[in-house]
Amino acid sequence: DGGITQSPKYLFRKEGQNVTLSCEQNLNHDAMYWYRQDPGQGLRLIYYSQIVNDFQKGDIAEGYSVSREKKESFPLTVTSAQKNPTAFYLCASSSRETQYFGPGTRLLVL
Amino acid sequence: AQSVTQPDIHITVSEGASLELRCNYSYGATPYLFWYVQSPGQGLQLLLKYFSGDTLVQGIKGFEAEFKRSQSSFNLRKPSVHWSDAAEYFCAVGASGGGADGLTFGKGTHLIIQP
């Protein structure tokens, strides 16, 4: 089945720890995106990548990092610099101006 | 920079009644407009999109939306709601290249269906 997978579904972070969220797509899409969702806030763009080995900061990139070594994969690292990481994280990929979303990862702080 | 306003945080509708969810956008050029739906704890599913052409667009699950440039609006409608329509609905706008640089989302409208 074609689609976007995100893992894990739930992730727990200890204070001072870096954690990495996985996003994989087999839709052959060039562009991929990471959004953060907080209750009552809608979605906000963290990072995006339009092509392999290139990525751009979104509106709230501070405390996050990404890589794009393969077309299929766009992992997001939440670093210890992100002081309020508790949120629902959504990955998307895009073809012909339309973004399709994965099922999300919920990050919680211990 | 573009922005999206969804004026209604919550809307309650009786099953079988009609529905209209409001969306207003701010963008200098012709926008790319989207409506997504999200069930609790899930990702977003695309309902419909507007890029150009006919201003009334049809989507999945019986939804439609109308683009009104003069009012900067892209309201979502459904003639008769079903209990399974209860969810969070997001309006989004894309700028250059249809959102190649990412989408800007409204804060969402929570739809409650009364039996």
Side-chain angles (χ1 to χ4, degrees), chain B residues 58-97:
Chain B
Q58 303 297 321
I60 63 171
K61 303 185 179 187
F63 286 93
E64 66 177 27
E66 186 171 12
F67 171 60
K68 293 185 177 180
R69 184 186 300 276
S70 61
Q71 298 176 20
S72 297
S73 69
F74 188 56
N75 294 349
L76 182 71
R77 300 194 294 250
K78 187 170 184 178
S80 175
V81 298
H82 185 262
W83 65 265
S84 59
D85 293 324
E88 192 84 16
Y89 290 80
F90 292 96
C91 181
V93 62
S96 62

CSV table of all heavy atoms in Angstrom, one decimal, chain B residues 58-97:
chain,number,residue,atom,x,y,z
B,58,GLN,N,-16.1,20.2,-5.5
B,58,GLN,CA,-16.7,19.0,-4.8
B,58,GLN,C,-15.6,18.2,-4.2
B,58,GLN,O,-14.5,18.1,-4.8
B,58,GLN,CB,-17.5,18.2,-5.8
B,58,GLN,CG,-18.6,18.9,-6.6
B,58,GLN,CD,-19.7,19.4,-5.6
B,58,GLN,OE1,-20.1,18.7,-4.7
B,58,GLN,NE2,-20.2,20.7,-5.9
B,59,GLY,N,-15.9,17.6,-3.1
B,59,GLY,CA,-14.9,16.8,-2.4
B,59,GLY,C,-15.4,15.5,-2.1
B,59,GLY,O,-16.5,15.0,-2.6
B,60,ILE,N,-14.7,14.8,-1.2
B,60,ILE,CA,-15.1,13.5,-0.7
B,60,ILE,C,-16.2,13.6,0.3
B,60,ILE,O,-16.4,14.7,0.9
B,60,ILE,CB,-13.9,12.6,-0.2
B,60,ILE,CG1,-13.3,13.3,1.0
B,60,ILE,CG2,-12.9,12.5,-1.4
B,60,ILE,CD1,-12.2,12.4,1.7
B,61,LYS,N,-16.9,12.5,0.6
B,61,LYS,CA,-17.8,12.4,1.7
B,61,LYS,C,-19.0,13.4,1.6
B,61,LYS,O,-19.6,13.7,2.6
B,61,LYS,CB,-17.2,12.6,3.1
B,61,LYS,CG,-16.0,11.6,3.3
B,61,LYS,CD,-15.5,11.8,4.8
B,61,LYS,CE,-14.4,10.8,5.0
B,61,LYS,NZ,-13.9,10.9,6.4
B,62,GLY,N,-19.3,13.8,0.4
B,62,GLY,CA,-20.4,14.7,0.1
B,62,GLY,C,-20.2,16.2,0.5
B,62,GLY,O,-21.1,17.0,0.5
B,63,PHE,N,-19.0,16.6,0.7
B,63,PHE,CA,-18.6,18.0,1.0
B,63,PHE,C,-18.4,18.8,-0.2
B,63,PHE,O,-17.9,18.2,-1.3
B,63,PHE,CB,-17.4,18.0,1.9
B,63,PHE,CG,-17.6,17.6,3.3
B,63,PHE,CD1,-17.4,16.3,3.7
B,63,PHE,CD2,-18.1,18.6,4.3
B,63,PHE,CE1,-17.6,15.9,5.1
B,63,PHE,CE2,-18.3,18.2,5.6
B,63,PHE,CZ,-18.1,16.9,6.0
B,64,GLU,N,-18.6,20.1,-0.1
B,64,GLU,CA,-18.3,21.0,-1.2
B,64,GLU,C,-17.9,22.3,-0.6
B,64,GLU,O,-18.1,22.6,0.6
B,64,GLU,CB,-19.5,21.3,-2.1
B,64,GLU,CG,-20.7,22.0,-1.4
B,64,GLU,CD,-21.8,22.3,-2.4
B,64,GLU,OE1,-22.0,21.6,-3.4
B,64,GLU,OE2,-22.5,23.3,-2.2
B,65,ALA,N,-17.2,23.1,-1.3
B,65,ALA,CA,-16.7,24.4,-0.8
B,65,ALA,C,-16.8,25.4,-2.0
B,65,ALA,O,-16.6,25.1,-3.1
B,65,ALA,CB,-15.3,24.3,-0.3
B,66,GLU,N,-17.0,26.7,-1.6
B,66,GLU,CA,-17.1,27.7,-2.6
B,66,GLU,C,-16.1,28.8,-2.3
B,66,GLU,O,-16.0,29.3,-1.2
B,66,GLU,CB,-18.5,28.3,-2.6
B,66,GLU,CG,-18.7,29.4,-3.7
B,66,GLU,CD,-20.1,29.8,-3.9
B,66,GLU,OE1,-21.0,29.5,-3.0
B,66,GLU,OE2,-20.4,30.5,-4.9
B,67,PHE,N,-15.3,29.1,-3.3
B,67,PHE,CA,-14.3,30.2,-3.3
B,67,PHE,C,-14.9,31.5,-3.7
B,67,PHE,O,-15.5,31.6,-4.8
B,67,PHE,CB,-13.1,29.8,-4.2
B,67,PHE,CG,-12.1,31.0,-4.4
B,67,PHE,CD1,-11.4,31.5,-3.3
B,67,PHE,CD2,-11.9,31.5,-5.6
B,67,PHE,CE1,-10.5,32.5,-3.5
B,67,PHE,CE2,-10.9,32.5,-5.8
B,67,PHE,CZ,-10.3,33.0,-4.7
B,68,LYS,N,-14.9,32.5,-2.8
B,68,LYS,CA,-15.4,33.8,-3.1
B,68,LYS,C,-14.2,34.8,-2.9
B,68,LYS,O,-13.9,35.2,-1.8
B,68,LYS,CB,-16.6,34.1,-2.2
B,68,LYS,CG,-17.8,33.3,-2.4
B,68,LYS,CD,-19.0,33.7,-1.6
B,68,LYS,CE,-20.2,32.9,-1.9
B,68,LYS,NZ,-21.4,33.4,-1.1
B,69,ARG,N,-13.7,35.2,-4.0
B,69,ARG,CA,-12.5,36.1,-4.0
B,69,ARG,C,-12.9,37.4,-3.3
B,69,ARG,O,-12.1,38.0,-2.5
B,69,ARG,CB,-12.0,36.4,-5.4
B,69,ARG,CG,-10.7,37.2,-5.4
B,69,ARG,CD,-10.4,37.6,-6.8
B,69,ARG,NE,-10.1,36.4,-7.6
B,69,ARG,CZ,-8.9,35.7,-7.6
B,69,ARG,NH1,-7.9,36.2,-6.9
B,69,ARG,NH2,-8.8,34.7,-8.4
B,70,SER,N,-14.1,38.0,-3.6
B,70,SER,CA,-14.5,39.3,-3.0
B,70,SER,C,-14.6,39.3,-1.5
B,70,SER,O,-14.5,40.3,-0.9
B,70,SER,CB,-15.8,39.7,-3.7
B,70,SER,OG,-16.8,38.8,-3.3
B,71,GLN,N,-14.9,38.1,-1.0
B,71,GLN,CA,-15.0,38.0,0.5
B,71,GLN,C,-13.8,37.3,1.1
B,71,GLN,O,-13.8,37.1,2.3
B,71,GLN,CB,-16.3,37.2,0.8
B,71,GLN,CG,-17.6,37.9,0.3
B,71,GLN,CD,-18.8,37.1,0.6
B,71,GLN,OE1,-18.8,36.2,1.4
B,71,GLN,NE2,-19.9,37.4,-0.2
B,72,SER,N,-12.8,36.9,0.3
B,72,SER,CA,-11.7,36.2,0.8
B,72,SER,C,-12.1,35.0,1.7
B,72,SER,O,-11.6,34.7,2.8
B,72,SER,CB,-10.8,37.1,1.7
B,72,SER,OG,-10.2,38.1,0.9
B,73,SER,N,-13.1,34.2,1.1
B,73,SER,CA,-13.6,33.1,1.9
B,73,SER,C,-13.6,31.8,1.1
B,73,SER,O,-13.6,31.8,-0.1
B,73,SER,CB,-15.1,33.4,2.3
B,73,SER,OG,-15.9,33.4,1.2
B,74,PHE,N,-13.6,30.7,1.8
B,74,PHE,CA,-13.6,29.4,1.2
B,74,PHE,C,-14.4,28.5,2.2
B,74,PHE,O,-13.9,27.7,2.9
B,74,PHE,CB,-12.2,28.9,1.0
B,74,PHE,CG,-12.1,27.6,0.2
B,74,PHE,CD1,-12.7,27.5,-1.0
B,74,PHE,CD2,-11.4,26.5,0.7
B,74,PHE,CE1,-12.6,26.3,-1.7
B,74,PHE,CE2,-11.3,25.4,0.0
B,74,PHE,CZ,-11.8,25.3,-1.2
B,75,ASN,N,-15.7,28.7,2.3
B,75,ASN,CA,-16.5,28.0,3.2
B,75,ASN,C,-16.9,26.6,2.8
B,75,ASN,O,-17.2,26.3,1.6
B,75,ASN,CB,-17.8,28.8,3.5
B,75,ASN,CG,-17.6,30.1,4.1
B,75,ASN,OD1,-16.5,30.4,4.6
B,75,ASN,ND2,-18.6,31.0,4.2
B,76,LEU,N,-16.9,25.7,3.8
B,76,LEU,CA,-17.2,24.3,3.5
B,76,LEU,C,-18.6,24.0,3.8
B,76,LEU,O,-19.2,24.4,4.9
B,76,LEU,CB,-16.3,23.4,4.4
B,76,LEU,CG,-16.4,21.9,4.3
B,76,LEU,CD1,-15.8,21.4,3.0
B,76,LEU,CD2,-15.7,21.2,5.5
B,77,ARG,N,-19.3,23.2,3.0
B,77,ARG,CA,-20.7,22.9,3.2
B,77,ARG,C,-21.0,21.4,3.0
B,77,ARG,O,-20.3,20.7,2.3
B,77,ARG,CB,-21.6,23.7,2.2
B,77,ARG,CG,-21.4,25.2,2.3
B,77,ARG,CD,-22.5,26.0,1.6
B,77,ARG,NE,-22.4,25.8,0.1
B,77,ARG,CZ,-22.1,26.7,-0.7
B,77,ARG,NH1,-21.8,27.9,-0.3
B,77,ARG,NH2,-22.1,26.5,-2.0
B,78,LYS,N,-22.1,21.0,3.6
B,78,LYS,CA,-22.6,19.7,3.4
B,78,LYS,C,-24.1,19.7,3.6
B,78,LYS,O,-24.6,20.3,4.6
B,78,LYS,CB,-21.9,18.6,4.4
B,78,LYS,CG,-22.4,17.2,4.0
B,78,LYS,CD,-21.5,16.2,4.8
B,78,LYS,CE,-21.9,14.8,4.4
B,78,LYS,NZ,-21.1,13.7,5.1
B,79,PRO,N,-24.9,19.2,2.7
B,79,PRO,CA,-26.4,19.3,2.8
B,79,PRO,C,-27.0,18.6,4.0
B,79,PRO,O,-28.0,19.0,4.5
B,79,PRO,CB,-26.9,18.8,1.5
B,79,PRO,CG,-25.8,18.1,0.9
B,79,PRO,CD,-24.5,18.6,1.5
B,80,SER,N,-26.4,17.4,4.4
B,80,SER,CA,-27.0,16.6,5.4
B,80,SER,C,-25.8,15.9,6.1
B,80,SER,O,-25.2,15.0,5.5
B,80,SER,CB,-28.0,15.6,4.8
B,80,SER,OG,-28.5,14.7,5.8
B,81,VAL,N,-25.6,16.2,7.4
B,81,VAL,CA,-24.5,15.6,8.1
B,81,VAL,C,-24.9,14.3,8.7
B,81,VAL,O,-26.0,14.0,9.1
B,81,VAL,CB,-23.9,16.5,9.2
B,81,VAL,CG1,-23.4,17.8,8.6
B,81,VAL,CG2,-25.0,16.8,10.3
B,82,HIS,N,-23.8,13.4,8.9
B,82,HIS,CA,-24.0,12.1,9.5
B,82,HIS,C,-23.2,12.1,10.8
B,82,HIS,O,-22.2,12.9,10.9
B,82,HIS,CB,-23.5,11.1,8.5
B,82,HIS,CG,-23.7,9.7,8.9
B,82,HIS,ND1,-22.7,8.9,9.5
B,82,HIS,CD2,-24.7,8.8,8.8
B,82,HIS,CE1,-23.1,7.7,9.7
B,82,HIS,NE2,-24.4,7.6,9.3
B,83,TRP,N,-23.5,11.2,11.7
B,83,TRP,CA,-22.8,11.2,12.9
B,83,TRP,C,-21.3,11.0,12.7
B,83,TRP,O,-20.5,11.4,13.5
B,83,TRP,CB,-23.3,10.1,13.8
B,83,TRP,CG,-23.2,8.7,13.3
B,83,TRP,CD1,-24.1,7.9,12.6
B,83,TRP,CD2,-22.0,7.8,13.5
B,83,TRP,NE1,-23.5,6.7,12.3
B,83,TRP,CE2,-22.3,6.6,12.8
B,83,TRP,CE3,-20.7,8.0,14.1
B,83,TRP,CZ2,-21.3,5.6,12.7
B,83,TRP,CZ3,-19.8,7.0,14.0
B,83,TRP,CH2,-20.1,5.8,13.3
B,84,SER,N,-20.9,10.3,11.6
B,84,SER,CA,-19.5,10.0,11.4
B,84,SER,C,-18.8,11.3,10.9
B,84,SER,O,-17.5,11.2,10.8
B,84,SER,CB,-19.4,8.9,10.3
B,84,SER,OG,-20.0,9.3,9.1
B,85,ASP,N,-19.5,12.4,10.7
B,85,ASP,CA,-18.8,13.6,10.3
B,85,ASP,C,-18.2,14.3,11.5
B,85,ASP,O,-17.5,15.3,11.3
B,85,ASP,CB,-19.8,14.5,9.6
B,85,ASP,CG,-20.2,14.0,8.2
B,85,ASP,OD1,-19.4,13.4,7.5
B,85,ASP,OD2,-21.4,14.2,7.8
B,86,ALA,N,-18.5,13.9,12.7
B,86,ALA,CA,-18.0,14.5,13.9
B,86,ALA,C,-16.4,14.4,13.9
B,86,ALA,O,-15.9,13.3,13.8
B,86,ALA,CB,-18.5,13.9,15.2
B,87,ALA,N,-15.8,15.6,13.9
B,87,ALA,CA,-14.3,15.6,13.8
B,87,ALA,C,-13.8,17.0,13.9
B,87,ALA,O,-14.6,18.0,14.1
B,87,ALA,CB,-13.9,15.0,12.4
B,88,GLU,N,-12.5,17.2,13.7
B,88,GLU,CA,-11.9,18.6,13.6
B,88,GLU,C,-11.7,18.9,12.1
B,88,GLU,O,-11.2,18.0,11.4
B,88,GLU,CB,-10.6,18.6,14.4
B,88,GLU,CG,-10.0,20.0,14.6
B,88,GLU,CD,-10.6,20.6,15.9
B,88,GLU,OE1,-11.3,19.9,16.7
B,88,GLU,OE2,-10.5,21.9,16.0
B,89,TYR,N,-12.1,20.1,11.7
B,89,TYR,CA,-11.9,20.5,10.3
B,89,TYR,C,-11.0,21.7,10.2
B,89,TYR,O,-11.1,22.7,11.0
B,89,TYR,CB,-13.3,20.9,9.8
B,89,TYR,CG,-14.2,19.7,9.6
B,89,TYR,CD1,-14.9,19.1,10.7
B,89,TYR,CD2,-14.3,19.0,8.4
B,89,TYR,CE1,-15.7,18.0,10.5
B,89,TYR,CE2,-15.1,17.9,8.2
B,89,TYR,CZ,-15.8,17.4,9.3
B,89,TYR,OH,-16.6,16.3,9.2
B,90,PHE,N,-10.0,21.6,9.3
B,90,PHE,CA,-9.0,22.6,9.1
B,90,PHE,C,-9.1,23.2,7.7
B,90,PHE,O,-9.1,22.4,6.7
B,90,PHE,CB,-7.6,22.0,9.4
B,90,PHE,CG,-7.4,21.7,10.8
B,90,PHE,CD1,-7.5,20.4,11.3
B,90,PHE,CD2,-7.0,22.6,11.7
B,90,PHE,CE1,-7.3,20.0,12.6
B,90,PHE,CE2,-6.7,22.3,13.1
B,90,PHE,CZ,-6.9,21.0,13.5
B,91,CYS,N,-9.0,24.5,7.6
B,91,CYS,CA,-8.9,25.2,6.4
B,91,CYS,C,-7.4,25.6,6.3
B,91,CYS,O,-6.8,25.9,7.3
B,91,CYS,CB,-9.8,26.4,6.4
B,91,CYS,SG,-9.7,27.4,4.8
B,92,ALA,N,-6.8,25.5,5.1
B,92,ALA,CA,-5.4,25.8,4.9
B,92,ALA,C,-5.2,26.6,3.6
B,92,ALA,O,-6.0,26.4,2.6
B,92,ALA,CB,-4.6,24.6,4.9
B,93,VAL,N,-4.2,27.4,3.5
B,93,VAL,CA,-3.9,28.1,2.3
B,93,VAL,C,-2.4,27.9,2.0
B,93,VAL,O,-1.5,27.8,2.8
B,93,VAL,CB,-4.1,29.7,2.5
B,93,VAL,CG1,-3.3,30.3,3.6
B,93,VAL,CG2,-3.9,30.4,1.2
B,94,GLY,N,-2.1,27.8,0.7
B,94,GLY,CA,-0.8,27.6,0.2
B,94,GLY,C,-0.5,28.8,-0.7
B,94,GLY,O,-1.4,29.3,-1.4
B,95,ALA,N,0.8,29.2,-0.7
B,95,ALA,CA,1.2,30.4,-1.5
B,95,ALA,C,1.8,29.9,-2.7
B,95,ALA,O,1.2,29.2,-3.5
B,95,ALA,CB,2.1,31.2,-0.6
B,96,SER,N,3.1,30.2,-2.9
B,96,SER,CA,3.8,29.9,-4.2
B,96,SER,C,3.8,28.4,-4.5
B,96,SER,O,4.0,27.6,-3.6
B,96,SER,CB,5.2,30.4,-4.1
B,96,SER,OG,5.9,29.7,-3.1
B,97,GLY,N,3.5,28.0,-5.7
B,97,GLY,CA,3.6,26.6,-6.1
B,97,GLY,C,2.6,25.8,-5.3
B,97,GLY,O,2.8,24.6,-5.2
